[in-house]
Amino acid sequence: MATCAQPPTSFASQADEITFWKSEATRYREITEEVQQELQEFRECSEEFERELEMQLEQNEKQVKELKQQNTSLTFECETLKERYEKLQAEHFKQVTHLQKEVDKLTVANSELVKDVRELEQRNDDLERTNRVIIVSLDDFEQRLNQALERNAFLESELDEKDSLAITVQRLRDEARDLHHELSVRQHKPVERTKSQDGEGHSVEAMNAKNTDEVIMPPPKTPSTPNGKKTFANGIHPICTPTKLQLPETPKMKGDFNS
């Protein structure tokens, strides 16, 4: 609620005084209306509160009646339950006596089971130790197996390489044998020519010397003998071998030839 303002002691003009008192009248009128509205709301709230109290009173009276009835029924039930309780207590005593005997029996059985559990725990510890030893042995065996597998794979790769080199060597030997055969054929042809030309006065020695002069040429990079030249039983040098047979000698090939 707004407080009353003190009017000024003097005004500048009569219009200011009229304006001031009009505003004060308007303010007091608003205050009065607000107070009347609050009073009306208070009356309404009071009436509503009274109605609620009356309703609660009626409800409480009904509840009191119901509680009295419940009290009567509960008293009867209490007496009934008391009798049942006495009977149940007697039966409970008998059951407790019987259960006590069973507890004694179970205690004895439990002590035996505890002994069995201890023995089983001891066996379990022994099995765990054995299991750890087996696991360590399996790890060691697995490492050895991995190493053996790696070594086997390496040996298999070397064996495959050796087989391929053996095939290459066999092919080279077959080509050398074919070349030797071709060389022997070429060496026999000049001899036949010399026999056919004996009527013309050419001797076999001259033809052999001619053929020797034609055949003896510096061969390109062929496998050498300890003397530095490769010759056959008749003392004739072989003709030049094809360049495809002049393959570089690898350490693996050396090992195969030595074997």
Side-chain angles (χ1 to χ4, degrees):
M1 185 180 292
T3 57
C4 296
Q6 295 293 332
T9 55
S10 61
F11 297 97
S13 63
Q14 188 176 2
D16 294 336
E17 184 176 1
I18 294 170
T19 302
F20 173 76
W21 290 114
K22 282 183 179 181
S23 62
E24 287 294 321
T26 304
R27 186 168 63 84
Y28 282 115
R29 186 181 300 110
E30 292 176 355
I31 292 171
T32 303
E33 291 176 355
E34 184 178 355
V35 170
Q36 289 178 353
Q37 186 176 0
E38 290 178 357
L39 180 60
Q40 183 65 29
E41 291 177 356
F42 178 75
R43 287 178 179 175
E44 293 176 357
C45 291
S46 298
E47 291 176 355
E48 185 176 357
F49 185 69
E50 287 178 358
R51 287 194 298 270
E52 290 178 357
L53 289 176
E54 289 177 355
M55 291 175 64
Q56 288 181 0
L57 182 60
E58 292 176 357
Q59 292 177 358
N60 289 330
E61 289 177 352
K62 290 180 182 180
Q63 288 179 358
V64 167
K65 291 180 181 179
E66 292 176 356
L67 290 173
K68 286 180 180 180
Q69 294 176 357
Q70 290 179 1
N71 187 17
T72 304
S73 62
L74 290 174
T75 302
F76 177 75
E77 289 179 2
C78 181
E79 292 176 356
T80 305
L81 291 174
K82 187 181 293 185
E83 293 176 358
R84 291 178 60 186
Y85 173 74
E86 291 175 356
K87 291 180 181 179
L88 291 173
Q89 190 173 6
E91 293 177 358
H92 178 70
F93 180 76
K94 293 179 181 180
Q95 290 179 356
V96 167
T97 305
H98 178 68
L99 292 174
Q100 186 65 38
K101 293 179 181 179
E102 290 185 356
V103 166
D104 295 335
K105 293 179 181 179
L106 292 174
T107 303
V108 176
N110 188 23
S111 61
E112 294 178 356
L113 290 175
V114 168
K115 292 180 182 179
D116 295 336
V117 167
R118 289 177 182 175
E119 292 178 358
L120 290 174
E121 288 178 352
Q122 185 66 31
R123 292 180 183 177
N124 191 18
D125 294 335
D126 296 336
L127 291 175
E128 286 181 354
R129 285 194 295 270
T130 306
N131 190 19
R132 286 195 293 270
V133 172
I134 292 172
I135 289 172
V136 173
S137 301
L138 286 176
D139 292 337
D140 188 14
F141 178 75
E142 187 176 0
Q143 292 177 359
R144 292 180 182 179
L145 180 61
N146 291 331
Q147 293 176 359
L149 290 174
E150 292 177 358
R151 185 166 58 253
N152 189 16
F154 179 72
L155 292 175
E156 286 180 356
S157 63
E158 287 188 351
L159 184 60
D160 294 337
E161 186 176 359
K162 185 177 180 180
D163 292 338
S164 63
L165 291 174
I167 293 171
T168 304
V169 169
Q170 185 64 33
R171 183 173 57 80
L172 293 175
R173 287 178 180 176
D174 295 338
E175 290 181 358
R177 185 174 64 254
D178 295 338
L179 290 174
H180 292 166
H181 179 70
E182 184 179 357
L183 180 61
S184 64
V185 171
R186 289 185 181 182
Q187 288 176 355
H188 286 297
K189 284 182 180 180
V191 175
E192 293 176 356
R193 288 179 183 178
T194 55
K195 290 182 179 180
S196 63
Q197 293 176 0
D198 284 340
E200 297 176 359
H202 296 286
S203 63
V204 175
E205 290 82 5
M207 292 301 294
N208 289 331
K210 185 176 180 180
N211 291 330
T212 304
D213 293 337
E214 292 177 356
V215 172
I216 296 175
M217 296 178 66
K221 293 182 181 180
T222 57
S224 62
T225 61
N227 295 329
K229 296 180 180 179
K230 184 177 181 181
T231 58
F232 293 95
N234 55 7
I236 300 174
H237 294 282
I239 61 174
C240 299
T241 58
T243 57
K244 68 179 181 178
L245 296 178
Q246 299 174 3
L247 298 174
E249 189 176 12
T250 61
K252 296 291 182 181
M253 292 176 68
K254 287 182 180 180
D256 293 333
F257 286 125
N258 291 330
S259 60

